[in-house]
Amino acid sequence: MMDLNADLGEGFGRWTLTDDEALLSVVTSANVACGFHAGDPTVMRRVCALAAERGVRIGAQVSYRDLAGFGRRAMDVPADELAAEVAYQIGALRVFAEAAGSTVSYVKPHGALYNRTVRDAGQARAVVEGVLLAGGGLPVLGLPGSELLGAAGEAGLTPVREAFADRAYTPEATLVPRREPGAVVEDADAVVRRAVGFAVDGGVEAADGSRVAVAARSLCVHGDTPGAARIAARVRAALEDAGVTVGAFT
């Protein structure tokens, strides 16, 4: 079984980015921006209502406070401050999820925070502290082998391993930084092929041509990729054709 997730609600005011309605007809889990890198109360409320209507699990996509940089700029945030900001974001999204008849089912960091918590144990523990502060014992979605998932497990939370169909991998099974050429896989056929490879073979070809093992329970297709909804639909169809059951991990 494989979960299919996408980053949603990444608009703000009159500015829109993700095709939330189309993606919510395909994915099983929605990583909803909580206002720190994108999203505002109206967007959050709308996406939660749509997700609840379609039976899609709602996840809090928490971020550094970086609207101008879309949460992709490196920041140094004190651990206690980061924990409070993570809890704040989860709480804000929970209001709209529960108003829609659903709930926040998991937490996933976004952008620079996601990448930082792969190796930074202090920031990883701060994110986990924020999840605990928000209550509910929520599962944490992250990169296999990351400090984040390690800290989540140590705290008694459920760590959920994630793979990216549309991102290039290093030989160490981490993501190629976005600033490097080829970091984002834009060819739809390649994204579909990689998605099936993760689910069926448990691995992917790294940027240097080597083979790396990636054991994942959830597969991400970025919502801000051009044609994301169409690609996600192709990914889901290909997974099901390969005998993979597509279903939420929560």
Side-chain angles (χ1 to χ4, degrees):
M1 180 177 286
M2 182 66 76
D3 174 60
L4 189 60
N5 78 74
D7 303 342
L8 300 177
E10 291 183 327
F12 194 87
R14 296 179 64 185
W15 176 68
T16 59
L17 179 64
T18 49
D19 189 348
D20 298 326
E21 190 157 3
L23 282 163
L24 284 167
S25 298
V26 180
V27 301
T28 49
S29 296
N31 317 316
V32 183
C34 299
F36 273 35
H37 77 280
D40 62 27
T42 300
V43 172
M44 293 162 67
R45 182 181 184 184
R46 175 177 55 80
V47 174
C48 285
L50 288 170
E53 185 180 286
R54 289 162 172 76
V56 176
R57 300 295 188 270
I58 297 170
Q61 187 163 42
V62 298
S63 170
Y64 287 128
R65 189 189 294 269
D66 181 27
L67 271 177
F70 197 60
R72 288 178 175 163
R73 298 185 293 191
M75 304 183 77
D76 288 315
V77 180
D80 58 344
E81 183 177 335
L82 179 57
E85 291 188 343
V86 166
Y88 178 94
Q89 292 174 79
I90 296 168
L93 187 65
R94 183 177 282 139
V95 168
F96 299 116
E98 294 184 352
S102 184
T103 189
V104 174
S105 296
Y106 65 95
V107 176
K108 174 184 172 178
H110 166 82
L113 182 58
Y114 188 100
N115 292 325
R116 181 77 173 267
T117 57
V118 171
R119 301 188 185 282
D120 189 320
Q123 293 282 277
R125 287 193 297 269
V127 170
V128 170
E129 182 183 343
V131 176
L132 294 172
L133 182 61
L138 300 173
V140 177
L141 190 59
L143 206 68
S146 64
E147 291 287 347
L148 176 65
L149 293 192
E154 289 174 3
L157 303 176
T158 301
V160 182
R161 299 184 301 272
E162 178 181 36
F164 292 83
D166 55 7
R167 289 294 307 276
Y169 277 75
T170 70
E172 294 74 35
T174 58
L175 301 180
V176 173
R178 280 183 175 268
R179 63 179 177 274
E180 296 185 14
V184 178
V185 180
E186 297 180 345
D187 180 77
D189 291 338
V191 173
V192 172
R193 184 171 61 252
R194 292 160 69 87
V196 174
F198 282 123
V200 176
D201 301 324
V204 70
E205 183 179 299
D208 68 350
S210 62
R211 181 79 177 171
V212 292
V214 182
R217 176 62 181 85
S218 185
L219 187 64
C220 179
V221 177
H222 280 93
D224 60 340
T225 301
R230 175 179 52 81
I231 294 171
R234 286 190 58 191
V235 165
R236 178 160 186 162
L239 290 172
E240 292 173 340
D241 287 346
V244 178
T245 299
V246 179
F249 61 82
T250 58

